[in-house]
Amino acid sequence: MKSSKNKRLINKRNPRRNRQIIGGAFLFAVVAIFLLFIFRFSYIVASGKIDDQNLTKKAEALYQDDSVLKANRGTIFDAMGNPIAEDSTSYSIYAVIDHRYTGSNDKKLYVTDKNKVATVLSQYLPMSKKDILKTLNPQNKKTFQVEFGTAGQGLSLAIKQEIENHNLRGVYFTETPARLYPNGTFASHQIGLAQQSTTSKAGTSTTALTGVMGIEKSYNKILSGTNGVKQVKKDSYGYQLPNTKVKQKAAKNGSDVYLTIDSRLQSYLETLLTKAQTKYDAKGFNAILMNPKTGQILAASQRPTFNPQTGASLGSFWRDTLTEDAYEPGSVMKVFTLASIIDAGKYPPNSYYTSGQVQVGGSTIHDWNTTGWGSIPYAQAFPRSSNVGFVHLEQILGEKEWLEYIKKFKFLQSTNSGLSGESSGSIQFKSASDQAITSFGQGINVTAMQMMQGYSAIANDGKEMKPQIIDKVVNPTTGKTTKYKPVTVGHPVKKSTTKQVLKDMQDVVYKNYGTGAVYKIPGYRIAAKTGTAQISTANGGGYLTGDNNYIFSVVGMAPAKNPQYVLYITMKQPQNMTESPEKILSEIFNPMMKRALEYNQGKTTKTDQATMPKISGEAVNDSVSTLTKAQLKPVQIGTGNTVVQQLPQAGEKVLSNQHVFVMTNGAMTMPDMTGWSKSDVLKFAEITGKSVKISGTGYVTKQDLAAKSLLDSTKEITVTLQP
């Protein structure tokens, strides 16, 4: 015990030995750590990586500045080289109000004079000074920046420059790539729409325009082009490093797409459809004008439609009804039934049948004139549009041969016209009654484009042409042109057959018992066929009832002897049917076909159209005078003295005596809407951004907000329409 105790005391009294032990341990630890660093460093040097991160690339990224060289989106042109859709730039305004936002030498980069900013902006934005000040003083005191809603978006370069001239501290703009549609409502669903989309790659976000419907979508890859890149070696201050080169891969701009659409005819068709839609408030219109010799679409549109420039009326209705909607065509289908039985050599024009009604497979089929016309020859079945007569003709032809002709005319398959989302259609052909009703356009679903393709065969000596809306694609860099030639898709009937069908189509217009006398055009011979198709109920268990619950239609070919044009128009469920369906459709068909025929002969025509002048940025009094001289009706919204927005946009085609909306600076005010159409009310809602509840059909007779009242705090306006 004593010896052990003495040993411990000796150790405690020997600090030198203790230091040696501790020093040795410390030296060992240092050497171990040093060796570990050497090993780690050697590994990094050898592999060039740390934590699976490539150090070489990290270093390059630190000193290398990569910038995207954006490709220009191709322009869409009409047949005469006028731009329909082209790249543009719009601007949005915002204001920084955070006092911590300063520059070098503590320069104030935030709004320092809110009263001045509000005063100036109220001259260029459709907002009152009071509302702008309210925006500049948000309840949340920590707000960094504020925006001005729709009033501060989509500003033109001219308005941006005007505001910048006032040198407002703290007021800034963002630049946004945009697509310019200078014609406004112009084959909108067919041309389509390109909108901003953002993609991320390697940590870099790129904003570009992407087609989301119509030709903009189906030809998006061709129109988009390919972005380039610019690489520059820079120091920590952002300057290019000496003895380094700029690496650049040029952008490849998108190709330009040229259409077959004739702007003169297209603009006129839009005018006529707008006029008819305003007057008769139909749930839908389709209209297509085609050159049957080539299949080229010269004009095409639909209702409902929208303005791609403003996005007004787009809503959730994205369908191109010319290609995506399959419907029962009604009696305009009799053109193909007649052509089929004539071509098969089984047509008995001089034989008689009893009109009125017929029993088929346990079902009774009636003529539109339920009492019929007694015993009449089959030659009258077509001009009288007798369903009973065509049931008998289908039975004479035979269901098997009739179905073969349906397929020869290329129904039940897409036309592949170049427009996206095209439907193939369908047919119900099992029972005898199913087969019978297809002879007059029920029980078979078609698209408007399929009908046009089939009609081309009748107007083109039996040679059926594929509908064509793209004329050519031109690469702006190389100049390479890809021409889209007319495509023949078949020869369903003989030339002699088409001559007989065209003769019978003239009987529709010129015989005293024909259903299409209203489609006569003085100086021109017209071949036509009318149609009235029932509309299936939502559950498909029957058809809607009521005088207006039909799809009314007309197809016309002119000149009848050798047609240069085919015009097909449908109208679905007019809500304000103050005229007969034939009369309503003739208000579109006759002037449209006449305009096309006159152009074909090189004639100039007087038009009731005008081109919307540019009035934005002008004095209100001067603008009102300009519009009045142009035979337009200005509607002033606001108490200011300068025009800050206009609708329609400058350059758009407008009707004489059409309402033009003039938005002034300062507070917005309510106009007197008495006598306005539904279309005018919707345009008012578009330019003001106000919610408008519309009750009834026809024209405005009542509004719940008095004229000249301020719109600033109004949430919803209710207007009542009556026929």
Side-chain angles (χ1 to χ4, degrees):
M1 281 293 286
K2 188 174 181 181
S3 174
S4 177
K5 184 176 181 181
N6 290 336
K7 193 174 184 179
R8 287 197 298 271
L9 288 171
I10 292 171
N11 288 338
K12 286 182 179 178
R13 292 170 183 170
N14 192 0
R16 182 178 178 183
R17 179 177 175 81
N18 290 340
R19 285 195 298 270
Q20 287 176 338
I21 293 172
I22 294 171
F26 180 74
L27 179 62
F28 178 80
V30 169
V31 169
I33 292 171
F34 181 71
L35 291 173
L36 181 64
F37 270 110
I38 291 175
F39 175 78
R40 179 66 169 163
F41 183 74
S42 299
Y43 170 78
I44 293 171
V45 170
S47 66
K49 291 183 179 181
I50 183 170
D51 294 333
D52 292 327
Q53 298 290 322
N54 191 307
L55 297 180
T56 302
K57 291 184 178 179
K58 284 285 185 181
E60 287 178 356
L62 185 62
Y63 296 103
Q64 180 172 292
D65 179 65
D66 290 359
S67 56
V68 175
L69 302 176
K70 290 187 177 181
N72 293 327
R73 188 173 179 84
T75 300
I76 300 177
F77 294 95
D78 75 350
M80 294 173 287
N82 301 310
I84 298 173
E86 57 186 327
D87 275 359
S88 179
T89 303
S90 64
Y91 302 88
S92 297
I93 189 171
Y94 67 96
V96 176
I97 57 175
D98 192 324
H99 288 206
R100 293 171 297 177
Y101 189 51
T102 57
S104 57
N105 300 322
D106 292 328
K107 182 181 179 181
K108 296 174 181 178
L109 302 177
Y110 56 87
V111 174
T112 55
D113 190 341
K114 293 181 179 180
N115 187 66
K116 178 183 177 182
V117 169
T119 301
V120 172
L121 293 188
S122 67
Q123 300 174 28
Y124 299 98
L125 305 181
M127 292 180 72
S128 65
K129 180 179 177 181
K130 177 182 176 183
D131 281 348
I132 294 174
L133 280 171
K134 185 177 178 181
T135 302
L136 291 171
N137 293 282
Q139 292 182 348
N140 185 354
K141 302 302 180 183
K142 295 182 179 180
T143 302
F144 179 77
Q145 70 183 51
V146 295
E147 298 174 356
F148 301 91
T150 55
Q153 298 173 356
L155 303 180
S156 66
L157 177 61
I159 293 293
K160 171 182 176 285
Q161 290 173 336
E162 287 284 342
I163 295 173
E164 286 178 329
N165 288 339
H166 290 276
N167 298 314
L168 301 176
R169 181 171 293 178
V171 173
Y172 304 96
F173 296 87
T174 57
E175 181 179 298
T176 306
R179 195 68 164 159
L180 176 64
Y181 298 91
N183 296 317
T185 302
F186 185 95
S188 300
H189 281 84
Q190 291 71 52
I191 305 302
L193 191 66
Q195 295 180 332
Q196 288 182 56
S197 64
T198 302
T199 56
S200 297
K201 187 177 181 180
T204 303
S205 294
T206 303
T207 300
L209 292 166
T210 302
V212 294
M213 66 185 299
I215 290 169
E216 292 273 32
K217 178 182 179 180
S218 36
Y219 283 77
N220 184 65
K221 188 174 181 180
I222 291 173
L223 289 162
S224 295
T226 306
N227 287 336
V229 64
K230 182 179 180 180
Q231 297 178 340
V232 181
K233 301 284 186 181
K234 293 183 178 180
D235 60 19
S236 57
Y237 295 99
Y239 296 105
Q240 183 177 340
L241 291 172
N243 301 318
T244 60
K245 292 183 179 180
V246 176
K247 294 182 180 180
Q248 184 169 312
K249 182 181 178 181
K252 295 180 181 178
N253 293 332
S255 293
D256 298 326
V257 175
Y258 288 76
L259 306 184
T260 60
I261 287 178
D262 184 324
S263 285
R264 301 169 302 173
L265 297 171
Q266 181 68 43
S267 295
Y268 194 49
L269 179 61
E270 299 290 357
T271 297
L272 295 170
L273 285 175
T274 297
K275 198 172 182 179
Q277 177 65 10
T278 299
K279 190 174 180 180
Y280 301 110
D281 195 20
K283 289 191 176 180
F285 273 106
N286 282 342
I288 310 176
L289 178 70
M290 183 175 74
N291 176 348
K293 309 302 182 186
T294 62
Q296 292 184 338
I297 303 299
L298 305 176
S301 194
Q302 68 182 69
R303 296 294 183 275
T305 189
F306 69 100
N307 186 329
Q309 182 60 32
T310 63
S313 303
L314 176 58
S316 59
F317 195 88
W318 288 64
R319 293 197 321 276
D320 179 351
T321 56
L322 303 184
T323 58
E324 296 182 56
D325 280 13
Y327 58 95
E328 296 181 56
S331 291
V332 286
M333 189 74 185
K334 290 173 181 172
V335 172
F336 304 109
T337 315
L338 179 63
S340 300
I341 194 168
I342 291 174
D343 197 70
K346 297 181 179 181
Y347 182 48
N350 299 319
S351 297
Y352 281 69
Y353 73 97
T354 302
S355 62
Q357 65 180 45
V358 63
Q359 293 285 329
V360 180
S363 299
T364 303
I365 297 173
H366 295 274
D367 278 323
W368 62 268
N369 176 13
T370 55
T371 59
W373 304 274
S375 179
I376 58 174
Y378 282 108
Q380 292 186 19
F382 186 78
R384 290 186 187 274
S385 200
S386 168
N387 292 343
V388 172
F390 273 79
V391 168
H392 288 306
L393 291 176
E394 184 271 333
Q395 292 172 334
I396 294 170
L397 178 61
E399 72 277 3
K400 183 178 180 181
E401 197 163 6
W402 168 224
L403 183 58
E404 288 176 358
Y405 272 104
I406 288 173
K407 292 177 179 178
K408 282 183 182 180
F409 276 109
K410 305 299 178 183
F411 290 107
L412 312 182
Q413 60 181 276
S414 169
T415 69
N416 297 310
S417 62
L419 298 173
S420 60
E422 191 162 350
S423 173
S424 297
S426 61
I427 193 170
Q428 190 171 333
F429 209 74
K430 292 182 178 180
S431 68
S433 59
D434 289 341
Q435 296 155 10
I437 64 175
T438 59
S439 68
F440 54 85
Q442 300 285 166
I444 181 170
N445 288 290
V446 303
T447 67
M449 207 61 77
Q450 287 175 332
M451 295 294 280
M452 293 303 292
Q453 181 170 265
Y455 290 138
S456 72
I458 305 301
N460 192 33
D461 296 333
K463 187 178 179 182
E464 188 167 4
M465 306 304 295
K466 174 183 174 179
Q468 179 185 343
I469 197 167
I470 307 296
D471 180 47
K472 61 183 177 180
V473 173
V474 178
N475 185 310
T477 304
T478 64
K480 180 182 176 181
T481 299
T482 303
K483 182 74 175 176
Y484 288 69
K485 296 180 180 180
V487 176
T488 303
V489 295
H491 296 79
V493 292
K494 297 184 287 290
K495 178 178 179 179
S496 58
T497 297
T498 64
K499 298 304 180 185
Q500 181 61 49
V501 174
L502 286 170
K503 180 179 177 299
D504 288 356
M505 290 179 72
Q506 292 175 67
D507 289 347
V508 172
V509 180
Y510 299 102
K511 292 291 186 182
N512 58 9
Y513 49 76
T515 59
V518 72
Y519 299 109
K520 293 176 183 175
I521 300 176
Y524 301 96
R525 189 79 176 175
I526 308 297
K529 182 69 191 81
T530 59
T532 304
Q534 292 177 293
I535 300 173
S536 298
T537 57
N539 59 13
Y543 292 100
L544 299 177
T545 59
D547 291 343
N548 67 333
N549 281 326
Y550 294 90
I551 294 177
F552 304 101
S553 57
V554 62
V555 59
M557 304 177 185
K561 188 175 181 180
N562 181 26
Q564 303 299 308
Y565 300 101
V566 176
L567 177 58
Y568 177 48
I569 306 170
T570 69
M571 174 179 64
K572 183 179 181 181
Q573 296 171 289
Q575 301 300 294
N576 190 29
M577 200 165 71
T578 54
E579 301 282 356
S580 69
E582 293 78 17
K583 177 65 170 62
I584 295 173
L585 291 173
S586 73
E587 292 177 11
I588 304 169
F589 180 91
N590 293 24
M592 188 69 225
M593 182 63 88
K594 183 180 180 183
R595 178 66 58 87
L597 291 166
E598 288 176 341
Y599 278 154
N600 191 52
Q601 295 179 350
K603 294 181 179 179
T604 56
T605 57
K606 183 181 178 181
T607 177
D608 57 356
Q609 286 180 295
T611 299
M612 181 66 190
K614 180 185 179 301
I615 56 174
S616 294
E618 303 292 331
V620 171
N621 290 340
D622 294 341
S623 299
V624 169
S625 177
T626 298
L627 295 172
T628 303
K629 289 179 181 177
Q631 295 185 322
L632 298 170
K633 295 180 179 179
V635 176
Q636 183 175 336
I637 302 173
T639 57
N641 54 13
T642 304
V643 179
V644 294
Q645 289 186 44
Q646 65 179 81
L647 191 69
Q649 303 294 327
E652 286 189 33
K653 298 295 182 183
V654 292
L655 284 169
S656 298
N657 296 314
Q658 178 177 324
H659 283 120
V660 171
F661 294 90
V662 179
M663 178 83 80
T664 74
N665 54 309
M668 293 188 291
T669 52
M670 180 70 183
D672 182 359
M673 291 185 171
T674 304
W676 284 19
S677 66
K678 181 179 178 180
S679 175
D680 288 333
V681 175
L682 292 174
K683 288 177 182 176
F684 164 82
E686 175 187 343
I687 195 169
T688 60
K690 297 297 179 182
S691 175
V692 181
K693 182 180 179 182
I694 300 173
S695 175
T697 61
Y699 299 89
V700 176
T701 58
K702 185 179 178 182
Q703 60 191 67
D704 70 344
L705 185 65
K708 298 183 180 180
S709 300
L710 292 178
L711 290 170
D712 290 351
S713 59
T714 304
K715 292 184 178 179
E716 184 178 73
I717 301 163
T718 300
V719 297
T720 303
L721 279 64
Q722 291 183 354

